[in-house]
Amino acid sequence: MKNLPADIDPGALSGYLASHGWRLEGRWRGANVWESNGDQLLVPTELEYPDDEALLRTAVRTLAERENRQDYEVLLDIAEPAMDVPSFRLHPGTTTGTIPMPLALKAMQGIHDLLKTSALSVERGPHLHFTGRSPQVEQSLERVRIGTTRPGSYIFDARVPIEPPARLTIDALPSPLSGRAVMTRLYTSTAAVHAAADHTAQGQIDYGPFVEASGVGVSSNLCAAIGRLAGGITKCRPFDISFAWARTRQIDFPTEAMVFTEAMVRTVIKAGTVLERVSKSGQAAVTGTIDTLTTTGELDKRARVRGMVVMERIGTADDPATSHGIVWVTLTSQQYDQAIDAHRRGRPIEARGTLDPDSRRLEIRPFPDGFRIR
């Protein structure tokens, strides 16, 4: 960008420098002297002298060179400090900065669905599968802006305000979703999918890790969105996701890119299909050992079982109905006493019953005769 705008705010630029490790070392001829790793920048505190605007433009260009970014990217971060920015780097196999239109459309839909699913997970809590619409989620998506691509294959940047706008309506009405809450949910759920896909792609087919991660926001919708971002199973391509966090509210979350290979994406797409079928399966069974017992009263007794999980009514040649994983089992008082005995003796148990599709975790309520020690 040859011609930077003249209205660079000196205060906003100083805030950017302070948040990126630059030190204020003093003043020289009416300008603050900022230093970092041997580099110095002169930043006027206000526009008083003829060369002040030139100093601001020089500072922005120097920052862009140091950070290997475009001038306009640095300017956006200076002007909009309260933005979390997830970046989606695709590898379409075309000239840098270009992308085939069909792949671009799928990628944009994938980004939209990732943000939408994360917002639904914040609003409703984690679920294996989301249905229906939410006016509040749609309102939050309207505030997200997609930036133009930058060097490094084809990159979409989504700029997400970390706070909802100030409301001018009655306090009793629900406020828009916090962008920071949506972004942290997107990060944790994407990281969980990445770990599960990496584990599964390297070993035997096992969708248990995806089911186990439903409590942190992994859902069939999230997996499907990742598949769209990659171009779908027939034209699947690798991609990266990274996060830049708003400097106005510090957060101890990583910024390193998560790389999804083609094999990992194919695994995620399959897992999404399994998760949706699990949510609609109706019945499930687990055989394994109890590692945790909890109780908060006669009507709230549960065991966490680690072992082989069977989702009934979903088995096909392509999508096995069994996987290793963790399941919570809701127990009666008599079953709970049996579970205590099995846990003490290290004996495996078997539980078979109905599956709650609206639970925030995989949970079985056994049939009257559906719980026994093996």
Side-chain angles (χ1 to χ4, degrees), residues 5-6 8 10 13 28-32 41-61:
I8 302 170
L13 175 56
W28 186 77
R29 298 184 63 179
N32 288 328
L41 293 177
L42 293 178
V43 179
T45 56
E46 55 185 342
L47 300 179
E48 295 183 272
Y49 302 103
D51 62 344
D52 284 346
E53 292 180 0
L55 289 176
L56 292 173
R57 291 193 291 271
T58 297
V60 170
R61 289 195 177 97

Side-chain angles (χ1 to χ4, degrees), residues 74-92:
V74 177
L75 280 171
L76 278 174
D77 287 346
I78 291 171
E80 300 177 336
M83 293 275 186
D84 286 338
V85 183
S87 296
F88 307 88
R89 181 170 179 257
L90 310 183
H91 302 274

Side-chain angles (χ1 to χ4, degrees), residues 281-298:
S281 64
Q283 297 182 8
V286 61
T287 302
T289 56
I290 296 172
D291 62 16
T292 302
L293 289 162
T294 64
T295 179
T296 57
E298 287 298 314

Side-chain angles (χ1 to χ4, degrees), residues 286-292 303-307 325-329 349 351:
V286 61
T287 302
T289 56
I290 296 172
D291 62 16
T292 302
R304 192 173 78 164
V305 182
R306 185 186 300 272
I326 294 176
V327 179
W328 285 87
V329 181
I349 63 95

Side-chain angles (χ1 to χ4, degrees), residues 76-77 80-85 143 145 159-162 180 244-248:
L76 278 174
D77 287 346
E80 300 177 336
M83 293 275 186
D84 286 338
V85 183
R143 303 179 61 234
R145 302 201 305 275
R159 303 187 66 81
V160 182
I162 62 174
R180 172 54 61 86
W245 305 100
R247 70 177 188 272
T248 55

Side-chain angles (χ1 to χ4, degrees), residues 170-203:
I170 302 173
D171 291 340
L173 293 176
S175 61
L177 290 166
S178 160
R180 172 54 61 86
V182 174
M183 284 300 95
T184 53
R185 179 58 55 84
L186 176 61
Y187 177 85
T188 55
S189 58
T190 304
V193 166
H194 185 270
D198 188 46
H199 165 79
T200 305
Q202 292 182 13

